[in-house]
Amino acid sequence: MVVVGLTGGIGSGKSTVARLLAERGAVVIDADVVAREAVAPGGAAHDAVVERFGPAVVAAGGEIDRPALAAMVFADEAARQDLNGIVHPAVRAEVLERVAAAGAADHDAVVVLDVPLLAEVGRDRYPAAGVIVVDVPVDTAIARLIGSRGLTEEDARARVAAQATRAERRAIADVVIDNSGDLDHLQNEVDRAWAWVVTLAS
């Protein structure tokens, strides 16, 4: 088994790259999905999030009101750090369990850990043989967030600013995928990254 980290800023197209890697045979473990499960009712981090942020972040059915929580933490650095301190350990524990399960099911598996905040938490927090970073100019990411997610420019810029910088992400990269072009360009970039992953696996 070989394990590779995948990260990229919001609006970079990292999810598309993860899908393309899965099409090439990778087992993708999505930390965002794990995080949503962790804060769901009964999840490992749900009660601690409610205790820290109060009833204002709880929707009618007991689920975390993600937009309300996002509005709270994107406006307050200390609150965001508190949230990360609650959620990240639970996510890491579950991701490591899923890595072990993937390896047990297939000793030759290529496992891609899709971790949006890998640069923030540190690449050494996960057992990755290498890291792929999906990179786009900030203005491209902002345009995509406005166009595809309906964010205002102010909100999009705030979310980009709340994450690691392009330079910080690129600093942890073994391979950088440029996603500033069209889908054909991205396919070629993913092919290049996949060829590198295959060399790690062999």
Side-chain angles (χ1 to χ4, degrees):
M1 178 177 68
V2 63
V3 181
V4 176
L6 172 67
T7 195
I10 187 170
S12 66
K14 176 182 56 60
S15 297
T16 301
V17 170
R19 177 176 56 78
L20 294 174
L21 290 169
E23 288 176 2
R24 286 155 175 79
V27 176
V28 176
I29 299 174
D30 186 337
D32 263 353
V33 172
V34 175
R36 282 195 289 274
E37 293 170 357
V39 300
H46 177 272
D47 291 351
V49 169
V50 174
E51 183 178 337
R52 165 60 181 85
F53 294 98
V57 301
V58 183
E63 299 89 1
I64 299 296
D65 183 335
R66 292 172 63 85
L69 181 60
M72 202 176 284
V73 301
F74 279 115
D76 183 340
E77 174 66 22
R80 188 165 72 252
Q81 289 184 1
D82 287 349
L83 178 64
N84 289 343
I86 294 167
V87 176
H88 284 169
V91 169
R92 180 175 181 271
E94 177 62 25
V95 166
L96 293 179
E97 282 192 21
R98 295 187 187 191
V99 169
D106 179 3
H107 294 300
D108 296 322
V110 173
V111 179
V112 171
L113 304 182
D114 180 348
V115 183
L117 301 181
L118 190 60
E120 289 85 342
V121 301
R123 65 177 282 171
D124 59 340
R125 296 288 291 159
Y126 291 93
V131 172
I132 299 168
V133 169
V134 185
D135 184 57
V136 296
V138 170
D139 286 345
T140 302
I142 288 167
R144 288 176 180 169
L145 292 172
I146 294 169
S148 66
R149 301 198 193 181
L151 299 182
T152 65
E153 181 173 351
E154 181 182 15
D155 193 15
R157 288 192 181 279
R159 293 191 182 212
V160 168
Q163 295 188 334
T165 64
R166 288 179 75 192
E168 287 167 339
R169 277 190 297 271
R170 290 174 73 101
I172 68 164
D174 295 289
V175 172
V176 175
I177 288 179
D178 167 41
N179 190 20
S180 60
D182 61 13
L183 185 57
D184 284 343
H185 172 76
L186 182 59
Q187 291 277 13
N188 289 334
E189 287 287 281
V190 173
D191 282 340
R192 179 174 59 83
W194 184 249
W196 168 76
V197 171
V198 169
T199 66
L200 290 181
S202 61

